[in-house]
Amino acid sequence: MSVAYAEPNQSPQDVVRQLLDTAKAEGRSSLTAPEAKQLCDLYEIPVPQEGLAKTADEAVKLAQGMGFPVVLKIVSPQILHKTEAGGVIVGVTTAEDVKAGFDTIMTRAKAYDASAELIGVQVQQMLKGGTEVIVGSITDPSFGKLVAFGLGGVLVEVLKDITFRLAPVTKEVALSMLDGIQAAEMLKGVRGGKPVDRDALANVIVNVSRLVNDVPEIVELDLNPVFAREDGATAADVRVVLDFEAKTARYRPNEEQILAKMNRIMQPDAVAVIGASAEDGKIGNSVMKNLINGGYKGGIYPIHPKADEILGYKAYKSVKDVPGTVDVAVFAIPAKFVAGALTEVGEKGIPGAVLIPSGFAETGNVEGQEELVAIARKYDIRLMGPNIYGFYYTPKNLCATFCTPFDVKGKAALSSQSGGIGMAIIGFSRSTKMGVSAIVGLGNKSDIDEDDLLTFFEHDDNTQVIAIHCEDLKDGRAFAEAAKRVSQKKPVVVLKAGRTSLGARAASSHTGALAGNDKIYEDVLKQSGVVRARSLQDLLQFARGIPVLPTPKGENVVIITGAGGSGVLLSDACADNGLSLMAMPADLDAAFRKFIPPFGAAGNPVDITGGEPPVTYQNTIRLGLEDERIHALILGYWHTIITPPMVFANKVIEVVNEMKAKGIHKPVVASLAGDVQVEEASDFLYQNGVVAYPYNTETPVAVLGAKYKWARAAGLL
Amino acid sequence: MSVAYAEPNQSPQDVVRQLLDTAKAEGRSSLTAPEAKQLCDLYEIPVPQEGLAKTADEAVKLAQGMGFPVVLKIVSPQILHKTEAGGVIVGVTTAEDVKAGFDTIMTRAKAYDASAELIGVQVQQMLKGGTEVIVGSITDPSFGKLVAFGLGGVLVEVLKDITFRLAPVTKEVALSMLDGIQAAEMLKGVRGGKPVDRDALANVIVNVSRLVNDVPEIVELDLNPVFAREDGATAADVRVVLDFEAKTARYRPNEEQILAKMNRIMQPDAVAVIGASAEDGKIGNSVMKNLINGGYKGGIYPIHPKADEILGYKAYKSVKDVPGTVDVAVFAIPAKFVAGALTEVGEKGIPGAVLIPSGFAETGNVEGQEELVAIARKYDIRLMGPNIYGFYYTPKNLCATFCTPFDVKGKAALSSQSGGIGMAIIGFSRSTKMGVSAIVGLGNKSDIDEDDLLTFFEHDDNTQVIAIHCEDLKDGRAFAEAAKRVSQKKPVVVLKAGRTSLGARAASSHTGALAGNDKIYEDVLKQSGVVRARSLQDLLQFARGIPVLPTPKGENVVIITGAGGSGVLLSDACADNGLSLMAMPADLDAAFRKFIPPFGAAGNPVDITGGEPPVTYQNTIRLGLEDERIHALILGYWHTIITPPMVFANKVIEVVNEMKAKGIHKPVVASLAGDVQVEEASDFLYQNGVVAYPYNTETPVAVLGAKYKWARAAGLL
């Protein structure tokens, strides 16, 4: 095994290339220790200093240069088992002992193998003290290069306390990783320990992330342990794993290219329906009816090999026969005919194909799907699907789907990887009157995926929140980049299914997708400003509630409650959702107390007590909205004869509207405890801008928490 | 400071008493190290061996007896700062070094203080190696003595990775503690480490729990660290905190006494309403109307100072004037009149008082409440409240409350500490048609609390599940004992509000209750077989669903789904709720495959795919119910034209009933994804024994998970 050494006038790139070439030529999938050390030196990743001493005096000089203690090791091509030969002395702390140690080692080595060539003694800086941490990098099939940080030893091994970020990272992101582990407090010094040098540690992370980003062939890298001291951080051991096989990149158009196509697909002026049918029960019939009955005003062109006319629209044998421009072709034909029809779509110059048919990758027909992708690339068509229900875009009254029509217009755009979840979105939206701008099925995601949708919705004025159900991300890197950009403007909510190992197994049996380590998703989604939904109900309720609530201008949340018991549960929910109950200033406390009975509770929650008339709710809510120190209100209502549910709801909206007229817009959510009339009151509140739920103290707070998470990620707080 | 030493013929109790008496006499609130060591010896808690050597030879003998390494320490009344005096040498490993060390220490001590009396050198076994753990005990105001176990160092300090049990514990419970921490794997040996001696460690825990149980004055105890080795466990440091102040015990009747009173209160043959009124809007009017309109068939006796008749019932000036027996008196008078009326209730020999009035401890009037308790104890009356809405007991058509009447009969008994939460229970129950046996308000819990209710419901054939909302437990010890007994027969679900630090603060401002450390509640509730609800919705949904589902006979859960996407989310939910997806046996897999399309997914979830007719659902569900290896089914439905929601629902109930007729009862839950018709289908399924939710993949699984948690705790699995 040879070792590449840097020549004085080589550039860092040259050195790296030479190291890789050597490893590749030798068929190795890892670097040797000296090679790894060279890389670390190039990227300013501190490793223990070392040097070769040929004499005892040289050894002393080296040791003094690097500082004590040092380790002495025999260097001889013939002596492989150094310790066995007595050729290693650790913990040498003085010049005297180095000198003596050099002689001892040489003597022992001679005694061990008289014929061995003794080149000298390696003097190596001995690391000790500080906190053991791990810095590393892995290559995720979806996200690409990730940099990882954790505490060494049991914390990472037993408790899996580790955090990931997309590489490369800035210093700021690297510093956020130090706070991103459960045991973050450890780094600040506990039990009399010293705090670590955060700056030095962050630099190690930054430099590792630069290295793996620069060198695609490094698929894994471990600095384990890194000794993080009060003054500096040094990697005691470096492991570098290489992979020279080139990966085929997924098609990744730029933002402009995405927009150009997506605008025409989502807001078409003319739609062709390939496989349109006059026969009830056929998918091609449902699509035609939905387009027509949905009220779509653009051109509708049924394509059918024999029919002259379908549901009153002139039919064509091929899309190529359609006069004029067509923006999108919806496919409602069996899988085996799709490739042929797609070629015609390409020849016609149609920019988008909505591939409803199943029978591709999800049933094992990977080749069939790859064939479609090849045709799409050849003709520059964007593909939605296959294996989808299609999509809705309500501003255009467009129901390009075989599912039931949908017409509740609003500001939430939703997408799902699965058809079943798509149907749940439709049912929930209709039932709760959640207005949507779009519902999109992505299915197998052969081409169009979440980052394309994000880019379209980013520029779509009809959309205020984007809620995504997915089981995998085909190109997590592209998604993260888009989400990071879009979430600065609009909230992005993601339900990542297959979170758990059980779930992940089901995901891979369902779509053939490799479900990633959930911790990676957790960290990368957060890094991208995404609000994560933990359940289907979370996704739906967040999508519904986020556009309804104004964006808070600060972190101070106040609970005003008629039911003390609700106050406690609402407080629990605040803690669960990362919300801060404002410490009530004395003057404000006094102001609230003026409105409530003397036995009402002080502080926050403001407990107005149960038997109060509507005016008490109004007075306290008005105060909460008017005082600039308060940024959001959570209301707890208790059904009584004195303040019945609809009276409460009306009075709340009255005061909220009174404040709006004054230009005061704060998020208000409510939990209603009472008999069944609280359901009507909750609906009324919700329709008027107060996110309210009956018999439920957790969901209103979770929705407010989601709004806060987004506002923080977007830098608005 | 004197030290108590055991005489040869003293009993252990005598020794302990003598230690305590000495400490008390000296006004100390802790034991000295030698005293603590004595206690440890008495309770077989291993501590380092030690002995006093007056000569170097004695020191060697001692060291050889306890084994190397040892620590040597000067013993001199005048030398308090031993280390400063050079009077401590650690890590002495040979007889030679002990000898030399003895002399060195004595010489140094003389040099340090020539006038000091040098008694000798303490030789102490030096502990090293093994895993550092903590064993301790605290005294909780509600639960009493608790024993704690955690890993030493950062794990317990930074990550708060610690577990509690009620003391005393059995060996089995002590062993469960070793598995009860997050980092449990550490004890099994990681990174080449040796596993700890579980038996020895469990013995330490058992012995600590015996000690604190035997000696009430020990309010805190810390063994920190305990070195847990491959062979044994030794406490390196012992800290014992004492409190000699006697605590006043809460009234704690035995099971028979509770039942005798609670049966009459909850199922009365005659009810007096103190403060009954004919005037609309008065609480005493609402109570009368609810009793009458609720259909209560027993005697109703309005008590009013002036009226002759109220709402058609003869009125009395005092309960003492009522002819015959009265079982319960419902109070609807202002706080200031309660004590007087309660005395009359006592004189009449009425066993129970339902104290609706507020204005007691919750408003700071603690004395007023204590007065009521004193009257109650004098006359042996059980008090419900004060500060409550009253209670419902549907089997008797009894609405002893001022809230809206309620008549949906069923098997769930619910209680709440807060009135607001009580109203939410009523509204939810009515809205979802959840049948209840009882709804009880406990308010300030001056007397009757959760363990009384548990005992009544345990013996109440009308109750199958007990769901409790509480903010504190006045007597957590009594609750835990009752819950442990009752949960063997019936599921006990608890929503503990004030879980989080934010929530706990609100709890204490609401009821003056000291909200405990949530980890203590978590562990003790689990130890007591309680199913914990994390939210109000959890409490309500568990109460509703648990009695509907048959008890599973094993852990094998199978998901059958039309929507692959639902399958993934349902799998996530299984992992979240501790459910085990059965590894599908080959023959069963083949049997399922016969019914589903070739591209349906194998294994578990069974993905029947979306376009299937009703018969595919039926065939696969029948197979799942018939095969004895499967113990529970989770269904994922996808709304299609081929199998509309109500068709699905009817077919499911058809096959479930077909199996019931054959004596097959398995829990079946369902998640319905689809348009709004899935709401009606879900209701129909629920009313027929299948716990079903629309647009929701998590709640059906959570309810099944709750049933499983109970079945495991009750030893049925």
Side-chain angles (χ1 to χ4, degrees):
Chain A
M1 189 179 295
S2 65
V3 175
Y5 284 104
E7 301 295 329
N9 55 357
Q10 274 186 312
S11 75
Q13 287 77 5
D14 289 343
V15 177
V16 171
R17 193 48 45 206
Q18 196 177 325
L19 286 174
L20 294 175
D21 288 348
T22 306
K24 192 175 180 183
E26 293 180 358
R28 281 188 278 131
S29 63
S30 63
L31 293 184
T32 65
E35 288 169 345
K37 185 181 181 312
Q38 256 193 296
L39 269 192
C40 287
D41 287 345
L42 280 174
Y43 279 86
E44 296 172 44
I45 297 164
V47 291
Q49 294 180 50
E50 58 178 30
L52 176 67
K54 302 211 168 184
T55 66
D57 286 341
E58 276 179 30
V60 170
K61 213 169 159 186
L62 281 168
Q64 283 168 335
M66 60 186 66
F68 295 99
V70 296
V71 183
L72 306 177
K73 289 180 190 168
I74 186 70
V75 179
S76 162
Q78 286 78 37
I79 300 179
L80 297 177
H81 302 289
K82 297 184 178 77
T83 306
E84 199 183 296
V88 178
I89 302 179
V90 302
V92 187
T93 54
T94 65
E96 213 171 286
D97 289 349
V98 169
K99 201 163 187 170
F102 183 95
D103 294 338
T104 305
I105 283 180
M106 295 299 271
T107 309
R108 285 181 185 163
K110 260 176 222 154
Y112 179 75
D113 182 354
S115 69
E117 178 197 2
L118 303 185
I119 291 172
V121 169
Q122 187 188 41
V123 182
Q124 194 176 47
Q125 193 183 11
M126 189 170 154
L127 298 176
K128 52 157 203 171
T131 305
E132 283 189 38
V133 305
I134 293 172
V135 176
S137 172
I138 58 167
T139 307
D140 180 83
S142 176
F143 291 111
K145 303 289 184 198
L146 294 159
V147 64
F149 171 75
L151 282 176
V154 296
L155 283 156
V156 69
E157 284 184 33
V158 175
L159 299 178
K160 319 291 180 213
D161 186 13
I162 193 161
T163 189
F164 296 90
R165 298 292 185 280
L166 293 173
V169 294
T170 61
K171 185 81 169 271
E172 193 189 349
V173 171
L175 284 166
S176 81
M177 295 178 78
L178 306 189
D179 294 322
I181 55 172
Q182 281 181 67
E185 215 186 306
M186 276 288 292
L187 302 174
K188 293 169 185 165
V190 288
R191 303 181 100 197
K194 305 281 189 189
V196 303
D197 183 339
R198 297 173 69 81
D199 192 68
L201 202 46
N203 281 338
V204 172
I205 297 171
V206 169
N207 292 340
V208 164
S209 81
R210 278 175 42 226
L211 168 58
V212 297
N213 189 59
D214 288 354
V215 188
E217 292 86 349
I218 299 181
V219 288
E220 284 179 56
L221 183 149
D222 263 352
L223 307 182
N224 182 15
V226 174
F227 287 95
R229 299 179 314 275
E230 213 184 346
D231 58 340
T234 310
D237 195 59
V238 185
R239 185 175 146 261
V240 178
V241 178
L242 306 170
D243 185 351
F244 295 101
E245 224 165 278
K247 303 286 177 293
T248 45
R250 191 175 164 90
Y251 173 56
R252 197 187 281 184
N254 65 30
E255 202 180 327
E256 265 173 75
Q257 291 168 325
I258 292 172
L259 268 183
K261 291 281 200 302
M262 290 300 291
N263 281 339
R264 289 184 62 191
I265 296 169
M266 297 295 292
Q267 306 171 319
D269 290 324
V271 180
V273 180
I274 297 173
S277 168
E279 196 180 323
D280 263 357
K282 294 268 182 191
I283 284 180
N285 178 262
S286 297
V287 173
M288 282 298 293
K289 280 186 188 158
N290 283 338
L291 284 172
I292 297 164
N293 300 336
Y296 176 62
K297 302 292 181 224
I300 300 176
Y301 300 103
I303 311 298
H304 191 281
K306 288 175 217 141
D308 289 329
E309 185 236 84
I310 292 173
L311 299 174
Y313 286 77
K314 178 171 167 46
Y316 301 86
K317 297 211 182 332
S318 160
V319 284
K320 293 164 75 176
D321 302 334
V322 175
T325 304
V326 174
D327 296 302
V328 65
V330 180
F331 283 63
I333 51 176
K336 59 184 170 182
F337 301 123
V338 172
L342 187 61
T343 301
E344 294 186 334
V345 163
E347 286 165 358
K348 170 74 179 165
I350 301 175
V354 175
L355 304 178
I356 291 175
S358 55
F360 294 94
E362 86 286 1
T363 62
N365 180 14
V366 175
E367 299 73 19
Q369 188 164 314
E370 282 172 356
E371 186 189 0
L372 301 188
V373 173
I375 295 167
R377 292 285 50 78
K378 178 175 174 190
Y379 293 102
D380 199 13
I381 315 167
R382 296 305 308 267
L383 306 179
M384 192 180 283
N387 185 30
I388 58 172
Y389 50 89
F391 75 98
Y392 300 80
Y393 186 67
T394 64
K396 277 278 203 181
N397 299 313
L398 181 68
C399 303
T401 161
F402 63 93
C403 295
T404 43
F406 188 77
D407 58 2
V408 189
K409 293 181 187 183
K411 296 297 187 183
L414 298 103
S415 75
S416 74
Q417 184 158 353
S418 139
I421 304 307
M423 280 305 299
I425 292 171
I426 292 166
F428 175 86
S429 304
R430 203 190 305 277
S431 176
T432 60
K433 302 183 191 65
M434 164 166 84
V436 308
S437 58
I439 303 174
V440 184
L442 288 179
N444 294 6
K445 300 194 277 196
S446 67
D447 175 17
I448 290 175
D449 57 13
E450 289 81 1
D451 52 288
D452 299 297
L453 290 185
L454 280 175
T455 302
F456 170 72
F457 291 126
E458 174 185 9
H459 297 276
D460 177 28
D461 290 339
N462 300 301
T463 296
Q464 276 182 5
V465 60
I466 304 147
I468 293 168
H469 158 269
C470 69
E471 293 173 358
D472 64 358
L473 293 171
K474 300 294 181 195
D475 186 341
R477 174 66 62 151
F479 174 84
E481 284 167 9
K484 189 161 188 179
R485 189 185 71 236
V486 178
S487 64
Q488 294 297 305
K489 304 181 199 165
K490 301 178 182 183
V492 178
V493 182
V494 171
L495 171 62
K496 164 71 174 71
R499 266 189 304 127
T500 56
S501 54
L502 283 179
R505 192 173 58 182
S508 92
S509 78
H510 176 46
T511 63
L514 181 75
N517 175 323
D518 190 63
K519 183 66 178 138
I520 294 176
Y521 274 93
E522 181 73 17
D523 289 335
V524 173
L525 292 180
K526 194 172 174 196
Q527 189 186 359
S528 309
V530 165
V531 175
R532 195 157 181 199
R534 300 283 156 191
S535 65
L536 179 55
Q537 273 293 307
D538 265 9
L539 181 79
L540 297 170
Q541 301 292 359
F542 292 177
R544 183 185 175 210
I546 285 176
V548 170
L549 294 177
T551 302
K553 294 189 175 64
E555 293 283 357
N556 287 339
V557 177
V558 167
I559 298 172
I560 297 174
T561 185
S566 297
V568 181
L569 289 169
L570 291 167
S571 299
D572 279 351
C574 282
D576 288 345
N577 288 283
L579 295 175
S580 312
L581 287 189
M582 179 169 78
M584 190 66 77
D587 66 307
L588 197 49
D589 195 50
F592 274 116
R593 279 181 177 284
K594 275 190 201 150
F595 297 125
I596 65 178
F599 52 90
N604 189 2
V606 178
D607 186 352
I608 70 168
T609 79
E612 289 298 295
V615 71
T616 308
Y617 279 106
Q618 268 201 319
N619 285 336
T620 49
I621 294 169
R622 184 180 293 111
L623 177 56
L625 290 173
E626 274 181 336
D627 193 282
E628 286 188 355
R629 290 165 291 184
I630 299 174
H631 305 119
L633 290 185
I634 299 172
L635 310 180
Y637 164 74
W638 182 3
H639 186 162
T640 61
I641 297 173
I642 299 156
T643 308
M646 278 308 295
V647 172
F648 165 77
N650 275 298
K651 292 290 170 186
V652 169
I653 295 307
E654 210 173 277
V655 69
V656 165
N657 287 341
E658 178 192 324
M659 291 298 120
K660 274 187 195 163
K662 290 188 184 178
I664 297 172
H665 300 270
K666 294 180 184 177
V668 182
V669 303
S671 164
L672 281 70
D675 212 332
V676 290
Q677 295 91 323
V678 297
E679 296 179 20
E680 185 196 351
S682 297
D683 284 346
F684 175 81
L685 284 166
Y686 215 123
Q687 297 307 323
N688 286 280
V690 171
V691 168
Y693 293 85
Y695 330 125
N696 187 325
T697 50
E698 39 281 348
T699 312
V701 181
V703 173
L704 180 62
K707 187 92 194 191
Y708 263 100
K709 281 192 189 95
W710 168 67
R712 288 187 205 114
L716 300 171
L717 283 178
Chain B
M1 185 181 293
S2 67
V3 173
Y5 285 105
E7 302 294 327
N9 55 357
Q10 275 186 310
S11 76
Q13 286 78 4
D14 290 342
V15 177
V16 172
R17 193 45 48 204
Q18 197 177 322
L19 288 173
L20 294 175
D21 288 347
T22 306
K24 192 176 180 180
E26 296 181 357
R28 281 188 279 129
S29 64
S30 62
L31 293 185
T32 64
E35 288 169 347
K37 185 182 180 310
Q38 258 192 297
L39 269 192
C40 286
D41 288 344
L42 281 173
Y43 279 85
E44 297 173 42
I45 297 164
V47 289
Q49 295 180 50
E50 58 179 29
L52 177 68
K54 302 211 170 184
T55 66
D57 285 342
E58 275 178 32
V60 170
K61 213 170 159 186
L62 281 168
Q64 282 169 335
M66 60 186 68
F68 294 100
V70 296
V71 182
L72 305 177
K73 290 181 192 169
I74 186 70
V75 180
S76 161
Q78 285 76 35
I79 300 178
L80 296 177
H81 302 290
K82 299 185 177 77
T83 305
E84 200 182 293
V88 178
I89 302 179
V90 302
V92 187
T93 53
T94 64
E96 215 170 284
D97 289 349
V98 169
K99 203 164 187 167
F102 183 94
D103 295 337
T104 305
I105 283 180
M106 295 299 272
T107 310
R108 286 181 185 162
K110 258 174 225 156
Y112 179 74
D113 182 353
S115 68
E117 177 198 2
L118 303 184
I119 293 174
V121 169
Q122 186 188 42
V123 182
Q124 193 176 44
Q125 194 182 11
M126 188 169 154
L127 298 175
K128 48 157 210 174
T131 304
E132 283 190 38
V133 304
I134 294 173
V135 177
S137 173
I138 58 168
T139 307
D140 180 83
S142 175
F143 291 111
K145 303 288 183 197
L146 293 158
V147 64
F149 170 76
L151 282 179
V154 294
L155 284 158
V156 70
E157 285 185 32
V158 175
L159 299 179
K160 318 291 179 211
D161 186 14
I162 192 161
T163 189
F164 297 91
R165 298 290 185 281
L166 294 173
V169 294
T170 61
K171 184 79 170 270
E172 193 188 349
V173 171
L175 285 166
S176 82
M177 295 177 78
L178 306 190
D179 295 321
I181 54 171
Q182 281 180 65
E185 215 186 306
M186 276 287 293
L187 302 174
K188 293 170 184 165
V190 286
R191 302 180 97 196
K194 305 280 188 188
V196 305
D197 184 338
R198 296 173 69 82
D199 193 68
L201 201 46
N203 281 338
V204 172
I205 296 171
V206 168
N207 292 339
V208 164
S209 80
R210 278 174 42 225
L211 168 58
V212 297
N213 189 60
D214 287 353
V215 188
E217 292 86 348
I218 300 181
V219 288
E220 282 180 57
L221 183 147
D222 264 352
L223 307 182
N224 182 16
V226 174
F227 287 94
R229 300 180 311 276
E230 212 184 346
D231 57 341
T234 310
D237 195 57
V238 185
R239 184 175 149 262
V240 178
V241 178
L242 305 171
D243 185 350
F244 295 100
E245 224 165 279
K247 303 286 175 294
T248 44
R250 192 175 163 89
Y251 173 56
R252 197 187 280 184
N254 66 29
E255 201 180 327
E256 264 173 74
Q257 291 167 324
I258 292 173
L259 267 184
K261 291 280 199 301
M262 290 300 291
N263 281 339
R264 287 184 63 191
I265 296 169
M266 298 295 292
Q267 305 169 322
D269 290 326
V271 180
V273 180
I274 297 173
S277 168
E279 196 182 322
D280 263 356
K282 295 269 184 193
I283 285 181
N285 178 263
S286 296
V287 173
M288 282 299 292
K289 278 186 189 159
N290 283 338
L291 285 172
I292 297 162
N293 300 336
Y296 175 62
K297 303 292 181 224
I300 300 175
Y301 300 103
I303 311 298
H304 192 280
K306 290 173 216 147
D308 290 329
E309 186 235 87
I310 291 172
L311 299 174
Y313 285 78
K314 180 172 166 44
Y316 300 86
K317 298 213 184 325
S318 160
V319 284
K320 293 163 76 179
D321 303 333
V322 175
T325 305
V326 174
D327 297 302
V328 66
V330 181
F331 283 61
I333 52 177
K336 58 184 169 181
F337 302 123
V338 171
L342 187 60
T343 302
E344 294 187 334
V345 163
E347 287 165 359
K348 171 73 180 167
I350 301 174
V354 175
L355 304 177
I356 292 174
S358 55
F360 293 94
E362 87 284 3
T363 63
N365 179 14
V366 174
E367 300 72 20
Q369 188 165 312
E370 281 171 356
E371 185 189 1
L372 301 189
V373 173
I375 295 168
R377 290 284 52 75
K378 177 176 175 190
Y379 292 103
D380 199 14
I381 314 166
R382 297 303 309 267
L383 305 179
M384 193 181 282
N387 184 30
I388 58 174
Y389 50 90
F391 75 97
Y392 300 81
Y393 185 68
T394 64
K396 277 279 205 180
N397 300 313
L398 181 69
C399 304
T401 161
F402 63 93
C403 294
T404 44
F406 188 77
D407 58 0
V408 188
K409 295 183 185 182
K411 297 295 187 185
L414 299 104
S415 75
S416 75
Q417 185 158 354
S418 140
I421 305 306
M423 279 305 301
I425 291 171
I426 291 165
F428 174 86
S429 303
R430 203 190 306 277
S431 176
T432 60
K433 304 183 189 69
M434 165 166 82
V436 308
S437 57
I439 302 173
V440 184
L442 288 179
N444 294 4
K445 300 195 277 196
S446 67
D447 174 17
I448 290 175
D449 57 11
E450 289 81 1
D451 52 288
D452 299 298
L453 289 185
L454 281 176
T455 302
F456 170 73
F457 291 127
E458 174 186 8
H459 296 277
D460 177 27
D461 290 340
N462 300 303
T463 296
Q464 275 182 5
V465 61
I466 304 149
I468 293 167
H469 157 269
C470 68
E471 293 173 359
D472 64 356
L473 293 171
K474 300 293 181 197
D475 186 342
R477 175 67 61 151
F479 175 84
E481 284 167 10
K484 190 162 187 177
R485 189 185 70 236
V486 176
S487 65
Q488 294 297 305
K489 301 182 200 163
K490 300 178 182 183
V492 178
V493 182
V494 171
L495 171 63
K496 165 70 175 70
R499 264 187 307 122
T500 56
S501 53
L502 283 180
R505 193 173 56 180
S508 93
S509 78
H510 177 45
T511 61
L514 181 76
N517 175 323
D518 190 63
K519 183 66 178 140
I520 295 175
Y521 274 93
E522 181 72 18
D523 289 336
V524 173
L525 292 179
K526 194 173 174 195
Q527 190 186 358
S528 309
V530 164
V531 176
R532 193 154 184 203
R534 300 283 156 191
S535 65
L536 180 55
Q537 273 292 308
D538 265 10
L539 182 80
L540 297 169
Q541 300 294 357
F542 292 177
R544 182 183 176 211
I546 285 177
V548 169
L549 294 177
T551 303
K553 295 190 174 65
E555 293 283 357
N556 287 339
V557 176
V558 167
I559 298 172
I560 297 174
T561 186
S566 296
V568 180
L569 288 169
L570 291 167
S571 299
D572 279 352
C574 282
D576 288 345
N577 288 284
L579 295 176
S580 312
L581 287 188
M582 179 169 78
M584 191 65 81
D587 65 309
L588 197 49
D589 196 51
F592 274 116
R593 281 182 175 284
K594 273 188 200 150
F595 297 125
I596 65 178
F599 52 91
N604 188 4
V606 177
D607 185 352
I608 71 169
T609 78
E612 290 298 296
V615 70
T616 308
Y617 280 105
Q618 268 203 318
N619 285 336
T620 48
I621 295 169
R622 183 180 292 112
L623 177 56
L625 290 172
E626 274 181 336
D627 193 283
E628 287 187 355
R629 291 165 291 183
I630 299 174
H631 305 118
L633 290 185
I634 298 172
L635 310 181
Y637 164 73
W638 182 1
H639 187 161
T640 61
I641 298 173
I642 299 156
T643 307
M646 279 308 295
V647 171
F648 166 77
N650 275 298
K651 292 290 169 186
V652 168
I653 296 306
E654 209 174 278
V655 68
V656 165
N657 286 340
E658 178 192 321
M659 291 298 120
K660 275 187 192 161
K662 289 188 184 177
I664 297 172
H665 301 270
K666 294 181 185 177
V668 182
V669 302
S671 164
L672 280 71
D675 212 331
V676 289
Q677 296 91 325
V678 297
E679 295 180 20
E680 183 195 351
S682 297
D683 284 346
F684 175 82
L685 284 166
Y686 215 123
Q687 297 307 325
N688 286 279
V690 171
V691 167
Y693 293 85
Y695 330 124
N696 186 325
T697 50
E698 37 281 349
T699 312
V701 180
V703 173
L704 180 62
K707 187 92 194 191
Y708 262 100
K709 281 193 189 94
W710 168 67
R712 286 186 206 115
L716 300 172
L717 283 178

